C-alpha cells in the first residue's frame, strides 16, 4: 500500500482513515478476543500448580513486564522499519508464546511462555496506538480512538464467555491455544491489510523536529505535566485491570460467590456489551467537550466498580459491578490515549505513544504482584479498596493540574 501524503484532500484522508481504522479494529478485535478468553482461566490454570495468590499474580505480572520492556523498542522500530512490520512481528511472537502456554509443564515454563506472549502483545498494542496517532487530528482523535478502544474492550470483555466454555468442556489449556490462533490471524491482518502510515508522521516533521533523535524525543515528550499525569491514569488503570480484574476478581467469583468460570465470563461479556454501547458517544463527548470532562469522571467510575467487586455478596451484585466496570473502562479508555497524542507533536507520535504505553504497562508488572501480596496478607477485598482510593486520587490530581488539550469551539 503506498504511503498517503498529508497534502491529499480531506475526503481522501477521511477515506484512508476509515480504511486503516477498520482493518486495525479487525486485527485488535481478533487478537483481544483471544486475550479475553484466558482472563477467567489464567488464575485457575496457575493455581493447578499448587501455588500462592502471589505466585498466581506473577503469571499476570510477567506478561506486563514483557509489555513494559517492549514498549519503547516498539516505538523505535515503528519509526525505523514501519508500523506494519511491528504489528506483524507482534502477532507472531504472541502466537508462539500462547501456544507454549497451552503446553507448559510447570509454573516456571508457564511464566517464560507468558513473557514471550507479552513481548508480542507489547509490539502489537504500541504499533496500533502509533497508527491511530498518525491518522488522526486533534478534532477527531477522540472518536477514532473511542471506536478502536471500544472494539478492544468489547473483545476483551466478550472473550471470557467462549474462554470459560472452552475451559469447562475441553480443559484449562485450550483457551491459550485459542489465543495463539487468534494472534496468528492478527499477524496476517497486520502484514497484508493494514496500510503503512509512517509517512504521515514523517511528512509532519518541521525543521526543528527533523534532527531530534529518538532518545531526545522521549525527554521532550515527558516534560509536560499533563503527559505525566495522564500516564499515571493509564498506569493505575493497568494496575486495577491486571492486579484486580484479572487476578483477584475471578477468585472472588469462584471462592466467595461459588460462580463457575463460564458464569464469570458471562458477567464480563455483559459488562463489555454495555461498555461498547457507551464507547462512541463518549468519544464524541471527548471531541466536543474536551478530554478532562470525560477522563476524570470515568476514572472515578472505574474506582466505583472495584468497590462494588470488593463488596459483592451474590451474582447480581457481581454482575452490576462488571457493568459499571465495562461502561467506565470503555469511556475512560480512549480519552487518555487521545490526550497523550494531543500533547505531543505528531512528528514525535511514535515516541509519545510508546512512552505512554510503557508507563501504563508498568502497572501490569506492579499491579498483580502488589495486589497479590495484599490479597495473601489481608484478604481479597483490601487490595480492591486500595486500588479504588488510588484511582480517585490520581483523577483529582489530573483535574487540578493537567491542562486541557482539546480547544472546544
Amino acid at each position: 500500500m503506498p504511503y498517503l501524503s498529508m497534502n491529499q484532500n480531506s475526503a481522501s484522508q477521511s477515506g484512508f482513515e476509515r480504511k486503516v481504522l477498520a482493518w486495525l479494529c479487525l486485527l485488535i478485535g481478533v487478537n483481544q478476543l483471544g486475550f479475553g478468553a484466558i482472563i477467567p482461566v489464567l488464575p485457575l490454570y496457575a493455581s493447578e500448580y499448587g501455588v500462592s495468590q502471589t505466585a498466581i499474580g506473577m503469571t499476570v505480572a510477567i506478561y506486563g513486564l514483557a509489555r513494559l520492556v517492549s514498549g519503547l523498542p516498539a516505538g523505535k522500530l515503528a519509526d525505523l522499519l514501519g508500523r506494519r512490520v511491528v504489528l506483524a512481528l507482534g502477532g507472531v511472537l504472541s502466537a508462539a508464546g500462547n501456544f507454549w502456554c497451552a503446553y507448559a509443564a510447570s509454573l516456571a515454563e508457564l511464566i517464560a511462555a507468558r513473557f514471550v506472549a507479552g513481548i508480542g502483545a507489547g509490539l502489537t498494542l504500541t504499533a496500533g496506538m502509533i497508527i491511530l496517532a498518525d491518522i488522526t487530528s486533534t478534532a477527531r482523535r477522540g472518536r477514532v480512538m473511542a471506536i478502536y478502544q471500544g472494539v478492544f474492550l468489547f473483545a476483551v470483555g466478550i472473550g471470557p464467555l467462549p474462554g470459560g466454555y472452552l475451559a469447562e468442556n475441553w480443559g484449562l489449556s485450550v483457551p491459550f491455544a485459542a489465543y495463539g490462533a487468534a494472534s496468528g490471524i492478527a499477524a496476517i491482518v497486520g502484514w497484508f491489510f493494514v496500510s503503512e502510515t509512517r509517512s504521515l508522521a514523517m511528512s509532519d516533521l518541521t525543521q526543528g523536529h527533523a534532527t531530534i533523535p529518538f532518545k531526545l524525543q522521549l525527554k521532550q515528550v515527558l516534560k509536560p505535566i499533563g503527559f505525566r499525569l495522564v500516564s499515571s491514569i493509564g498506569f493505575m488503570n493497568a494496575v486495577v485491570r491486571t492486579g484486580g480484574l484479572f487476578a483477584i476478581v475471578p477468585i472472588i467469583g469462584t471462592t466467595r460467590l461459588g460462580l463457575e468460570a463460564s458464569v464469570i465470563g458471562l458477567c464480563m461479556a455483559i459488562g463489555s456489551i454495555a461498555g461498547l454501547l457507551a464507547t462512541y458517544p463518549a468519544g464524541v463527548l471527548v471531541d466536543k467537550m474536551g478530554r478532562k470532562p470525560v477522563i476524570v469522571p470515568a476514572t472515578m467510575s472505574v474506582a466505583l466498580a472495584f468497590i462494588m467487586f470488593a463488596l459483592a455478596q451474590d451474582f447480581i451484585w457481581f454482575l452490576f459491578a462488571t457493568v459499571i466496570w465495562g461502561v467506565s473502562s470503555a469511556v475512560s479508555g480512549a480519552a487518555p490515549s487521545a490526550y497523550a497524542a494531543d500533547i505531543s507533536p505528531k512528528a514525535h507520535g511514535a515516541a509519545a505513544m510508546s512512552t505512554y504505553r510503557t508507563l501504563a504497562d508498568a502497572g501490569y508488572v506492579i499491579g498483580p504482584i502488589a495486589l497479590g501480596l495484599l490479597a495473601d496478607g489481608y484478604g481479597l477485598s483490601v487490595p480492591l479498596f486500595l486500588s479504588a482510593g488510588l484511582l480517585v486520587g490520581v483523577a483529582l490530581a489530573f483535574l487540578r493540574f493537567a491542562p486541557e488539550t482539546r480547544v472546544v469551539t
Side-chain angles (χ1 to χ4, degrees):
M1 175 73 188
Y3 292 149
L4 180 75
S5 169
M6 289 295 286
N7 295 325
Q8 289 180 273
N9 61 57
S10 59
S12 178
Q13 290 178 29
S14 178
F16 181 75
E17 177 187 289
R18 287 195 297 269
K19 180 180 178 182
V20 172
L21 178 62
W23 283 115
L24 197 58
C25 284
L26 176 62
L27 181 152
I28 207 65
V30 170
N31 191 63
Q32 293 305 298
L33 182 67
F35 177 78
I38 70 170
I39 290 175
V41 174
L42 179 60
L44 306 177
Y45 190 49
S47 67
E48 289 196 331
Y49 296 103
V51 295
S52 67
Q53 185 67 39
T54 303
I56 293 172
M58 277 295 298
T59 65
V60 180
I62 196 66
Y63 189 84
L65 177 62
R67 285 178 49 166
L68 176 66
V69 300
S70 63
L72 292 179
K76 189 168 184 178
L77 285 174
D79 272 351
L80 290 175
L81 304 177
R83 286 46 166 155
R84 192 180 63 158
V85 172
V86 180
L87 279 178
L89 178 61
V92 170
L93 288 175
S94 183
N98 281 292
F99 279 122
W100 187 9
C101 286
Y103 296 99
S106 65
L107 180 66
E109 192 175 344
L110 175 63
I111 289 174
R114 289 278 292 165
F115 185 81
V116 174
I119 290 288
L123 295 177
T124 298
L125 297 177
T126 301
M129 295 303 299
I130 292 170
I131 289 171
L132 292 179
D134 288 342
I135 67 175
T136 55
S137 64
T138 303
R140 288 182 47 80
R141 184 167 288 137
R143 69 198 77 181
V144 170
M145 287 195 170
I147 293 170
Y148 173 84
Q149 194 72 17
V151 173
F152 181 102
L153 292 173
F154 175 75
V156 171
I158 203 75
L161 185 58
Y165 178 80
L166 290 172
E168 285 187 9
N169 288 276
W170 286 284
L172 292 174
S173 65
V174 175
F176 291 94
Y179 187 14
S183 297
I185 294 171
I188 293 171
V189 173
W191 181 253
F192 290 103
F193 299 103
V194 177
S195 301
E196 181 58 67
T197 63
R198 179 174 54 169
S199 65
L200 298 181
M202 297 300 103
S203 65
D204 195 57
L205 287 170
T206 64
Q207 184 175 2
H209 293 142
T211 58
I212 296 178
F214 192 79
K215 287 184 179 180
L216 293 182
Q217 289 183 37
L218 297 179
K219 290 182 179 180
Q220 290 196 359
V221 161
L222 286 167
K223 281 183 180 179
I225 188 172
F227 186 90
R228 298 197 299 271
L229 285 171
V230 82
S231 296
S232 297
I233 288 178
F235 170 82
M236 277 310 305
N237 278 324
V239 167
V240 300
R241 184 181 300 114
T242 57
L245 188 72
F246 296 170
I248 293 177
V249 168
I251 303 297
I252 287 178
T254 55
T255 62
R256 182 187 297 173
L257 307 180
L259 304 178
E260 296 180 348
S262 60
V263 175
I264 295 172
L266 176 63
C267 290
M268 291 184 177
I270 292 172
S272 181
I273 292 171
L276 180 65
L277 296 176
T279 299
Y280 188 75
V284 173
L285 287 177
V286 167
D287 284 340
K288 297 296 184 182
M289 296 176 56
R291 314 316 192 199
K292 291 177 69 174
V294 175
I295 291 174
V296 174
T299 303
M300 290 187 173
S301 294
V302 174
L304 175 61
F306 279 91
I307 292 174
M308 295 295 296
F309 280 125
L311 297 174
Q313 297 297 319
D314 55 32
F315 167 76
I316 297 300
W317 197 304
F318 189 87
L319 176 61
F320 186 46
T322 59
V323 171
I324 296 176
W325 158 262
V327 173
S328 57
S329 61
V331 171
S332 68
S337 301
Y339 187 97
D342 291 344
I343 208 166
S344 305
K346 183 179 280 289
H348 298 170
M353 301 316 295
S354 60
T355 301
Y356 172 76
R357 284 234 54 95
T358 298
L359 294 175
D361 284 346
Y364 276 70
V365 181
I366 295 172
I369 296 174
L371 298 191
L373 286 169
L374 285 172
D376 283 338
Y378 302 97
L380 296 174
S381 295
V382 169
L384 301 188
F385 283 126
L386 178 61
S387 297
L390 291 173
L391 280 167
V392 171
V394 75
L396 292 176
F398 186 82
L399 176 64
R400 174 64 179 85
F401 298 108
E404 178 59 66
T405 59
R406 172 71 173 104
V407 178
V408 181
T409 57

